[in-house]
Amino acid sequence: MIPQAPYADKKNNGVFHKQMLTLNKPLTIPNRQGDAAFIPFESYETGLLRFGDGDPDSQQNDSLTDVAVNAKDAIVELRIPWQLLNIKDPSMHEAIGDIRENGLDASVQTSGFRVAVLTYKPEPDADTIQHPGVGAIADFLPSASNGVLRANDMPLYQWKGWDYPQTHERLKKSYYKLKETFATVKLPTD
């Protein structure tokens, strides 16, 4: 359903290949009049991270926020979808394996992810390091040595496996709006 790019089957081809999540397959729904409604295939690029305010107590709250920046407290919060990290089953630490070698069911266990952060400036200045294809890098975390980030210097992000996900419920702000609306609805009594 998603056209294959001609370079996608070449390992380490140097081309970024966006990951698409299927929202629905094409579907034709017949009706009594003999017509049919057609619902086309839809997909979503999981790497398009949405900037916003993820604080549920904020007036500007957006529950779909992937990246939230709190400049006052110098905090950046990032929510990355498991699919974007090639994780098949996070509860079992199962990641997508080498599908070229072992087919679509290929999987591997992961112990976690090495994490690094860098910032860049579109226009380089004296305090930045110019990297081809990336732009002017302003800062690294952890520190880079001669402009090189070493994996062994990066912190390892790990998580515990689970049988049942830990959850907590909260009512969204829209709940109270719906409650008010439904309270005004008059139902027929006959």
Side-chain angles (χ1 to χ4, degrees), residues 60-111:
Q60 290 78 35
N61 173 251
D62 179 355
S63 64
L64 300 177
T65 295
D66 296 309
V67 181
V69 177
N70 178 338
K72 179 182 157 217
D73 297 327
I75 295 172
V76 176
E77 183 178 343
L78 181 64
R79 297 184 336 172
I80 302 175
W82 287 114
Q83 180 192 11
L84 197 57
L85 298 171
N86 286 336
I87 297 294
K88 292 171 85 170
D89 183 352
S91 70
M92 302 293 292
H93 297 99
E94 183 182 9
I96 296 172
D98 188 340
I99 59 175
R100 288 176 184 84
E101 188 74 26
N102 302 312
L104 293 176
D105 292 332
S107 67
V108 294
Q109 297 299 118
T110 181
S111 59

